[in-house]
Amino acid sequence: MGAVRFMSLFLVALVSAAAAARTVAAAGAPPREVTVGALFTYDSTIGRAARLAIEIAVDDVNADRTVLAGTTLKLMTQDTNCSGFLGTIEALQLMEKNVIAVIGPQSSGIGHVISHVVNELHVPLLSFAATDPTLSASEYPYFLRTAISDYFQMHAVASIVDYYQWKEVTAIFVDDDYGRGGVSALGDALIAKRARISYKAAIPPNSNTDVINDVLFRVNMMESRVIVVHVNPDTGMNIFSAAKKLQMMADGYVWIATDWLAAVVDSSSGSKDLKYMSHIQGLIFLRQHTPESDTKNKFMSKWNNVARNRNISFGLNSYGFYAYDSVWTVARAIDQFLISGLQINFSKDPRLNGSNDSTLHLSTLEMFDGGDQLLQQLLLTNFTGITGPVQFDSDRNLVHPAYDILNVGGTGSRLVGYWSNYSGLSVAAPEILYQKPPNTSTSAQRLYNVVWPGDSTTTPRGWVFPNNGQPLRVGVPIKASFKELVSIGQGSDNVTGYSIDIFNAAIKLLPYPVPCQFIAIGDGRKNPNYDDIISMVAANSLDAAVGDFAIVRNRTKIAEFTQPFIESGLVIVAPASKTSSSAWAFLKPFTLEMWFSFSTMFFSHRICGCLNRGPKDGGVAAIVDEMPYVDLFLSKHCNFRIVGQEFTKEGWGFAFQRDSPLAEDLSTAILQLSESGQLQRIHDEWFSEPSCASDDSEVGATRLGLGSFWGLFLVCALICIFALVVFFVRICWQYSQYSNSEAADEPGAAAAAAAAAAAAAATTERQKRPTRLGSFKELIQFVDTKEAEIRRTMKQRSSDKDNQAAGPSDPHPVAAA
Ligand SMILES: *[C@@H]1O[C@H](CO)[C@@H](O)[C@H](O)[C@H]1NC(C)=O
Ligand SMILES: *[C@@H]1O[C@H](CO)[C@@H](O)[C@H](O)[C@H]1NC(C)=O
Ligand SMILES: *[C@@H]1O[C@H](CO)[C@@H](O)[C@H](O)[C@H]1NC(C)=O
Ligand SMILES: *[C@@H]1O[C@H](CO)[C@@H](O)[C@H](O)[C@H]1NC(C)=O
Ligand SMILES: *[C@@H]1O[C@H](CO)[C@@H](O)[C@H](O)[C@H]1NC(C)=O
Ligand SMILES: *[C@@H]1O[C@H](CO)[C@@H](O)[C@H](O)[C@H]1NC(C)=O
Ligand SMILES: *[C@@H]1O[C@H](CO)[C@@H](O)[C@H](O)[C@H]1NC(C)=O
Ligand SMILES: *[C@@H]1O[C@H](CO)[C@@H](O)[C@H](O)[C@H]1NC(C)=O
Ligand SMILES: *[C@@H]1O[C@H](CO)[C@@H](O)[C@H](O)[C@H]1NC(C)=O
Ligand SMILES: *[C@@H]1O[C@H](CO)[C@@H](O)[C@H](O)[C@H]1NC(C)=O
């Protein structure tokens, strides 16, 4: 395309160089005739219908006295002959004849090229058939589409895909501007409906049957069975005859064709055309919607009369309606242009004053001075034509875009509904809906029943298993341990286990049969690498992986996982006998990393021994592993327990290839299993209750035992011992002080003994004992004596000593109370 664009720019440069100012119309009175050009491929499905329609339209305009009174509309047509190069040359030749507007071109590719020329020469281009949405007004200001953009058609297709809840479509398209632009719009429209194009099959223009067969063969290898065909009317039918031979027009397939097929079907006539109707049975196609009206019927009978008179054996199609309205649009705009007093002048293009050496004689090409004014009149168009209201919105699209949706059956086609930009899919005609407020709610979308390919009335699922109906290749890991989860029985395809049971139960819930072939991975002596199995699924060596596959982030990046069928967080297991393990419950938040250094990440058959030996003897203190493994392990080993809570949240799921529709359906099935309680029943079958359930091992995980508080006890004990030691040291010190003072005042002891009644016994006893430190019994008695008493006694003794030293005159020493 780039080359063609470059060529057109080059030509524009040549053209403009020779342009010279020239005035066509005499000042004042309206011109006697105005010339408009028309560009299309005469010998094409669209062109044949459009050619007659345009001729009839020009006749009608000239016969009408209200539009362009006194001025004759003259038409100059050029054949673009389906060729970018010829189309450009023909367009330039048309410009040479000083046309003030051009109707056409028919093809989007030529539209891209010519738009550069008309932009330069300020000649409005009204295309009735270039539907490529990328032909935009912002890039080409003088381009005006008088038909519906494929942008809307692709939204209609996406609505149909969404209505039948298909998620993936294959797009077959012609590899040119029209095909690529349309499919790009389809991709966007599908994404808005949460569907997507899973495979784009481009067919080069004018491909032969071999190329088409190759493309269809590749399409058939894909999962999707919803095929949207967006090609040219003149070669498109070849695809269906090839598809019919490849048995791709059979039960299970969905074919949706864009409006090109409507042009083919409507234009077909005679028995030779009926042959291919048998190729497209059950297909759905779109047609631009044009409301029924008297003017439309009048035009159709006129068209048929002319065709009959000219011995023409093909029929009218809806592009003819748009071509007819385009002529009227131009005529009305020129009428307004002339009424406003403007004249039709041409002048040379100052921008392109350059090479004068060309022998192409393009010097007659001139710029239309009033081009901008005419364009403004065109944008103000407001009348009702045979295609409905002709008006342009701010994006220069026709208002009220709508399509008929038809279903091929027998020798004809049946209307199953409408799509309008206003209300989506409906069985009521858009004209009726425009009277009501728009209703695009899902519940309001409706189509009549469709008979699908293969004469089937049940809506096709829209996809098949990859590899064309081969059984699903399901990889199952064969492990050395935990054979309850998945293991292989006798015979290679005989796998059993908890996860297999769930998988089979979920598959049974699907509304369609899914043949499965289990492929054992691993020899049962060493655990296979689970990431490798997931990678095999991603690389299409397997279709699914079933087993104890944790749904972790780096796996979900490469494969599609179902909903988890069991929760699986990491937990810590430690021997129940060791009190230290319970104490960790308190320390858990602080030393999580520390534990990993003690622990192995995964269970093995040596696990028991390791745990029992403990870290000092080369074993481990605790194990961190996923909950289901731990559940199975604990059901057989009572002397271990879970410490604390799960500290991650994960689950196990089945892995499928990216965007596999089966993953979604199985997720729904797993949720159904969960709701019906079957998931729990399967769980209970395989995860038996611990055989030693009576003791506290079940609740040990969270209950606090006496041992849980050993730290507290230790601290208490230490404080008590310290307090006792302090107490005894103090007692001993006091006792030694006491004994010393007693020895010192032995002679005056009699007086003291007489003074205190309570202390009498102790004192009398001491009096009898001559030893200084006294016996153990004496110490105990000392300890037993009240603190206050001892202090008082000692104080009294020291004051006695003082008294004796001061003078013996005092006969009564101070008595203790
Ligand atoms: C159009 O092209 C076809 C083949 O591409 C050729 O046979 C035919 O002569 C061409 N017609 C015109 C008018 O150039
Ligand atoms: C119309 O065409 C057919 C064959 O195409 C021919 O036999 C017949 O004479 C033609 N009629 C007229 C009126 O030209
Ligand atoms: C067109 O040409 C006529 C006569 O030369 C001149 O009077 C008139 O102004 C021109 N109109 C425009 C729009 O240039
Ligand atoms: C065109 O170019 C010639 C010479 O280069 C110059 O004299 C003339 O003024 C130019 N004309 C316009 C309209 O720019
Ligand atoms: C272009 O050529 C024509 C005659 O060949 C001459 O009259 C005209 O002045 C030339 N224009 C320029 C811009 O050279
Ligand atoms: C179009 O014309 C109709 C009457 O023919 C008028 O009611 C309507 O307002 C017009 N619309 C615009 C946008 O001018
Ligand atoms: C199509 O519908 C959308 C959303 O309802 C609206 O924004 C847009 O203007 C409509 N376009 C036309 C041409 O009616
Ligand atoms: C849209 O149509 C649905 C189904 O016909 C209806 O239930 C709903 O009320 C309608 N909504 C509006 C806004 O008309
Ligand atoms: C599958 O293997 C199990 C255990 O090895 C056995 O009991 C069962 O009969 C086998 N089933 C089939 C269908 O071979
Ligand atoms: C996922 O991450 C783990 C470590 O975090 C790594 O060992 C493994 O290879 C990764 N798997 C994939 C499929 O990238």
Side-chain angles (χ1 to χ4, degrees):
M1 193 58 231
V4 179
R5 281 207 187 128
F6 174 76
M7 188 190 72
S8 69
L9 284 171
F10 173 63
L11 284 169
V12 167
L14 287 179
V15 161
S16 326
R22 201 154 54 110
T23 303
V24 177
R32 264 188 293 124
E33 64 173 33
V34 289
T35 313
V36 296
L39 272 177
F40 49 86
T41 301
Y42 293 175
D43 188 20
S44 69
T45 308
I46 293 173
R48 280 189 293 260
R51 190 176 184 180
L52 279 191
I54 290 172
E55 283 173 18
I56 292 170
V58 171
D59 286 350
D60 285 357
V61 167
N62 286 332
D64 191 306
R65 281 157 187 261
T66 59
V67 175
L68 284 179
T71 303
T72 308
L73 185 69
K74 203 175 150 217
L75 185 76
M76 292 200 146
T77 55
Q78 295 281 353
D79 187 0
T80 54
N81 205 10
C82 268
S83 149
F85 174 70
L86 281 182
T88 309
I89 301 295
E90 298 288 330
L92 292 173
Q93 284 175 3
L94 205 55
M95 300 296 162
E96 207 178 35
K97 290 167 187 154
N98 283 336
V99 294
I100 58 170
V102 175
I103 292 165
Q106 166 189 336
S107 122
S108 299
I110 296 173
H112 277 283
V113 176
I114 310 278
S115 292
H116 290 289
V117 181
V118 297
N119 269 3
E120 191 58 41
L121 301 179
H122 293 189
V123 175
L125 189 64
L126 284 85
S127 180
F128 60 91
T131 52
D132 173 12
T134 65
L135 269 170
S136 71
S138 55
E139 189 179 1
Y140 308 117
Y142 281 86
F143 175 83
L144 189 61
R145 197 190 332 262
T146 49
I148 309 176
S149 163
D150 279 342
Y151 170 86
F152 298 103
Q153 175 160 229
M154 294 309 171
H155 273 80
V157 172
S159 295
I160 296 171
V161 168
D162 184 49
Y163 179 76
Y164 291 109
Q165 297 180 0
W166 298 315
K167 290 291 168 216
E168 297 193 354
V169 307
T170 294
I172 297 179
F173 61 101
V174 57
D175 199 2
D176 63 9
D177 287 281
Y178 155 78
R180 283 191 298 267
V183 164
S184 153
L186 175 63
D188 294 346
L190 284 172
I191 283 169
K193 300 280 187 189
R194 293 185 196 175
R196 64 185 195 107
I197 301 177
S198 57
Y199 182 60
K200 291 185 185 175
I203 296 184
N206 305 318
S207 292
N208 60 23
T209 319
D210 288 345
V211 176
I212 292 174
N213 277 338
D214 274 1
V215 169
L216 288 179
F217 188 73
R218 265 177 281 139
V219 166
N220 213 21
M221 293 301 289
M222 299 294 144
E223 254 175 25
S224 172
R225 282 291 176 267
V226 180
I227 304 164
V228 176
V229 186
H230 186 57
V231 294
N232 285 320
D234 300 294
T235 51
M237 293 314 288
N238 299 339
I239 293 173
F240 296 125
S241 38
K244 177 85 179 174
K245 287 199 189 95
L246 290 171
Q247 298 184 339
M248 290 172 69
M249 304 302 299
D251 195 5
Y253 287 84
V254 175
W255 290 86
I256 302 175
T258 53
D259 58 18
W260 66 269
L261 186 65
V264 176
V265 170
D266 292 348
S267 292
S268 68
S269 63
S271 56
K272 75 170 171 60
D273 294 331
L274 287 180
K275 182 190 69 197
Y276 62 67
M277 289 304 274
S278 70
H279 298 166
I280 56 173
Q281 291 297 307
L283 175 145
I284 293 181
F285 66 98
L286 301 180
R287 175 168 60 203
Q288 299 96 328
H289 174 73
T290 52
E292 294 306 316
S293 67
D294 284 347
T295 46
K296 182 178 160 184
N297 290 336
K298 239 185 256 170
F299 165 74
M300 283 166 74
S301 61
K302 209 181 264 183
W303 193 98
N304 287 328
N305 277 337
V306 174
R308 209 177 304 120
N309 291 343
R310 296 202 195 163
N311 204 4
I312 287 169
S313 65
F314 52 82
L316 175 62
N317 58 53
S318 50
Y319 283 104
F321 300 143
Y322 286 98
Y324 180 87
D325 275 355
S326 301
V327 174
W328 275 99
T329 304
V330 158
R332 284 169 194 272
I334 295 173
D335 188 38
Q336 291 302 311
F337 176 87
L338 295 175
I339 286 172
S340 65
L342 292 167
Q343 270 130 32
I344 298 171
N345 290 359
F346 290 85
S347 58
K348 97 183 230 183
D349 183 352
R351 280 221 301 151
L352 298 158
N353 183 13
S355 68
N356 197 17
D357 309 326
S358 168
T359 53
L360 281 176
H361 299 297
L362 296 165
S363 53
T364 41
L365 275 178
E366 289 169 336
M367 212 161 102
F368 175 32
D369 293 338
D372 188 44
Q373 287 89 339
L374 181 59
L375 183 65
Q376 294 315 314
Q377 288 300 338
L378 284 167
L379 292 175
L380 290 175
T381 300
N382 179 15
F383 72 98
T384 304
I386 56 176
T387 61
V390 182
Q391 263 182 60
F392 300 98
D393 67 9
S394 53
D395 295 327
R396 299 196 186 180
N397 285 314
L398 279 179
V399 295
H400 293 328
Y403 285 87
D404 299 339
I405 299 164
L406 299 114
N407 179 211
V408 179
T411 57
S413 51
R414 195 172 58 92
L415 188 81
V416 291
Y418 304 90
W419 178 89
S420 62
N421 187 51
Y422 190 73
S423 275
L425 300 174
S426 64
V427 292
E431 295 77 56
I432 297 164
L433 299 173
Y434 297 144
Q435 322 290 326
K436 301 182 205 159
N439 191 346
T440 48
S441 71
T442 319
S443 56
Q445 308 292 299
R446 226 199 117 202
L447 291 178
Y448 289 122
N449 291 338
V450 170
V451 178
W452 303 100
D455 235 358
S456 157
T457 48
T458 51
T459 304
R461 190 168 75 224
W463 60 273
V464 289
F465 298 103
N467 309 325
N468 223 348
Q470 298 295 306
L472 210 63
R473 295 162 299 166
V474 181
V476 287
I478 304 302
K479 309 171 45 129
S481 50
F482 295 106
K483 292 190 181 293
E484 295 88 344
L485 298 174
V486 53
S487 72
I488 194 151
Q490 286 133 16
S492 62
D493 202 19
N494 180 7
V495 285
T496 55
Y498 165 66
S499 48
I500 302 292
D501 279 4
I502 291 183
F503 180 74
N504 285 335
I507 286 279
K508 244 182 240 156
L509 282 183
L510 298 183
Y512 42 85
V514 182
C516 293
Q517 179 201 355
F518 290 102
I519 298 168
I521 296 167
D523 51 12
R525 284 191 290 277
K526 196 166 144 274
N527 287 353
N529 184 330
Y530 278 36
D531 284 322
D532 287 352
I533 299 175
I534 300 293
S535 304
M536 282 167 77
V537 172
N540 195 16
S541 316
L542 291 173
D543 297 314
V546 171
D548 45 343
F549 289 94
I551 306 171
V552 292
R553 205 163 55 109
N554 64 356
R555 288 178 185 167
T556 58
K557 276 186 201 157
I558 60 170
E560 190 87 32
F561 275 84
T562 60
Q563 290 279 323
F565 55 86
I566 186 168
E567 299 232 317
S568 154
L570 290 179
V571 289
I572 294 162
V573 185
S577 55
K578 295 187 181 159
T579 47
S580 63
S581 63
S582 328
W584 283 0
F586 294 96
L587 302 171
K588 195 194 88 185
F590 310 106
T591 57
L592 201 62
E593 284 79 18
M594 196 187 81
W595 282 351
F596 281 103
S597 61
F598 283 115
S599 314
T600 63
M601 269 299 285
F602 291 99
F603 267 110
S604 71
H605 50 280
R606 293 169 300 157
I607 188 168
C608 252
C610 273
L611 269 179
N612 282 336
R613 276 205 302 279
K616 273 190 212 136
D617 304 323
V620 293
I623 293 289
V624 179
D625 209 334
E626 292 177 51
M627 192 64 191
Y629 297 120
V630 169
D631 271 348
L632 278 174
F633 175 77
L634 292 184
S635 69
K636 295 183 200 128
H637 303 94
C638 312
N639 49 339
F640 297 94
R641 65 168 66 162
I642 294 168
V643 180
Q645 253 101 49
E646 284 177 79
F647 52 88
T648 59
K649 275 272 169 263
E650 266 169 25
W652 290 352
F654 305 129
F656 288 86
Q657 284 167 24
R658 269 248 151 276
D659 297 314
S660 164
L662 205 55
E664 196 179 316
D665 287 359
L666 266 195
S667 286
T668 315
I670 288 172
L671 291 180
Q672 267 175 279
L673 285 178
S674 165
E675 278 159 21
S676 69
Q678 205 180 338
L679 209 57
Q680 189 60 41
R681 279 198 294 279
I682 297 174
H683 179 276
D684 294 345
E685 266 173 44
W686 288 95
F687 289 70
S688 52
E689 282 292 298
S691 48
C692 43
S694 58
D695 70 354
D696 65 353
S697 65
E698 264 179 302
V699 288
T702 46
R703 211 182 68 172
L704 300 182
L706 212 59
S708 308
F709 300 100
W710 67 271
L712 286 178
F713 289 146
L714 182 69
V715 171
C716 283
L718 285 176
I719 290 170
C720 287
I721 290 167
F722 178 71
L724 265 174
V725 166
V726 168
F727 176 72
F728 274 110
V729 165
R730 192 158 166 271
I731 288 290
C732 289
W733 177 79
Q734 279 181 344
Y735 184 63
S736 68
Q737 293 286 307
Y738 184 83
S739 310
N740 284 350
S741 60
E742 196 175 41
D745 57 21
E746 214 134 291
T763 320
T764 317
E765 203 76 25
R766 254 173 253 140
Q767 277 175 312
K768 291 174 191 162
R769 303 279 158 149
T771 34
R772 290 190 81 205
L773 286 169
S775 69
F776 179 71
K777 197 175 168 193
E778 205 176 351
L779 177 67
I780 295 300
Q781 269 175 349
F782 173 79
V783 171
D784 205 31
T785 317
K786 281 184 184 160
E787 170 92 12
E789 221 164 87
I790 291 166
R791 247 188 242 151
R792 196 177 52 228
T793 316
M794 284 175 70
K795 210 170 171 184
Q796 186 189 332
R797 279 191 198 150
S798 58
S799 62
D800 282 355
K801 257 187 249 165
D802 291 348
N803 288 347
Q804 278 168 351
S809 57
D810 189 1
H812 302 288
V814 180

